[in-house]
Amino acid sequence: MKNIIKISIVNYLNSIPFRYGLENYNFDTKIELQKDIPSQCAYKLKMGLVDIGLIPVAAIPEIENAKIISNFCIGANGNVKTVALYSNQPVENISTIILDYHSRTSVQLARILALHKWKINPKWEKGEEGFEKNIDKEKAGVVIGDKTFAIENKYNFKYDLANEWKEMTSLPFVFACWVSNKELPVEFLRSLNSALEYGIMNIDASVDLYRKDICQISDDEAKKYLIENINYNLDNDKKRALDYYFKLSEKIISNPFIQ
């Protein structure tokens, strides 16, 4: 019996082209695809529960022997739409920011922006299920993922974190990469990249197949988001952005709310 390669993928709209590719590509090796929130992807890889994960980049330095294994990622070159700071006050008047518990990458990005771009020193609070409903005149919130579609026009101010990063650095941003912490067959890694590329080349089909399982927006909105807001190629500019993000992250004092 052949070994099964276990893969943890983020269960968000932005990853469904990857899911489509992985589930429709003819691998020689059997794979098992597990659908998780970003923090679970990182946890499962760190604990050896999966072989490959679509990992929030902030978690990569904490995974022993972590290696980026693909030319593809979840990134953005400007507005990403689904990672933002929501507030009823301008950012310079914000005193408290609630942090989304789904991914450390966006949380760390917000803290970098607070220090280097917005020049504010807010109180940070760890969000829990439904925390986005607690955003009010006193508190802002970093909200990520598909739940942002439901609050798109609910608050007075929205600061798209990828666009804020682009304004500050002139670089794109990388939210998650395909990572493994063990040696995998070279032929399988080639097939993995081919599968991911196949999915990206079939965005319309991926939306038609999976969108209704994930979020309640129209097919046209979903396709527009995946084509215009998400950028999947891990090119040299994104690698430079990753290096700079890690450099700035090292200067941020550890926060007990960030797990």
Side-chain angles (χ1 to χ4, degrees), residues 6-25:
K6 296 180 180 180
I7 302 174
S8 175
I9 189 171
V10 176
N11 193 32
Y12 285 167
L13 176 62
N14 60 24
S15 67
I16 65 171
F18 289 153
R19 177 181 169 187
Y20 183 88
L22 293 169
E23 292 187 339
N24 290 278
Y25 187 83

Side-chain angles (χ1 to χ4, degrees), residues 18 25 50 52-53 61 65 106 121 123 133 135 150 170 184 248:
F18 289 153
Y25 187 83
V50 296
I52 298 170
N65 299 319
S106 302
N121 185 27
K123 177 183 177 183
K133 299 174 184 176
I135 297 171
S170 300
L184 295 169
L248 293 179

Side-chain angles (χ1 to χ4, degrees), residues 89-253:
Q89 299 208 39
V91 69
E92 60 269 19
N93 296 334
I94 292 172
S95 59
T96 301
I97 296 178
I98 312 172
L99 303 171
D100 199 310
Y101 59 96
H102 277 201
S103 173
R104 289 181 53 192
T105 300
S106 302
V107 164
Q108 191 75 334
L109 176 56
R111 298 176 73 214
I112 288 170
L113 292 168
L115 178 63
H116 294 286
K117 187 175 191 293
W118 302 330
K119 311 295 184 184
I120 60 174
N121 185 27
K123 177 183 177 183
W124 304 97
E125 289 187 4
K126 182 179 179 181
E128 298 178 347
E129 184 76 29
F131 77 94
E132 63 271 17
K133 299 174 184 176
N134 297 326
I135 297 171
D136 57 24
K137 65 180 181 178
E138 301 295 332
K139 294 183 178 182
V142 174
V143 187
I144 77 165
D146 298 342
K147 58 184 176 288
T148 60
F149 292 116
I151 62 171
E152 180 67 23
N153 300 307
K154 186 174 180 180
Y155 301 104
N156 294 334
F157 295 91
K158 175 185 176 181
Y159 297 91
D160 187 295
L161 298 196
N163 192 59
E164 294 288 305
W165 169 267
K166 179 73 181 284
E167 289 182 357
M168 186 178 82
T169 66
S170 300
L171 292 168
F173 193 77
V174 182
F175 290 97
C177 291
W178 288 102
V179 175
S180 182
N181 55 357
K182 61 183 64 176
E183 289 296 322
L184 295 169
V186 173
E187 286 301 319
F188 174 79
L189 293 177
R190 290 197 187 105
S191 295
L192 176 70
N193 269 294
S194 295
L196 298 175
E197 183 176 24
Y198 177 73
I200 294 166
M201 297 298 293
N202 287 278
I203 286 177
D204 284 4
S206 71
V207 170
D208 293 341
L209 188 59
Y210 302 126
R211 190 270 306 166
K212 291 181 176 63
D213 296 335
I214 297 177
C215 63
Q216 298 304 310
I217 60 174
S218 71
D219 285 3
D220 287 344
E221 287 177 299
K223 292 171 184 176
K224 182 179 179 181
Y225 162 70
L226 294 175
I227 292 168
E228 296 184 3
N229 297 108
I230 305 301
N231 196 295
Y232 292 103
N233 292 312
L234 185 57
D235 56 23
N236 287 333
D237 280 348
K238 290 197 185 69
K239 291 174 182 177
R240 286 174 54 220
L242 267 179
D243 289 341
Y244 193 39
Y245 172 80
F246 288 138
K247 180 179 178 180
L248 293 179
S249 293
E250 290 175 356
K251 299 178 180 179
I252 299 291
I253 298 173

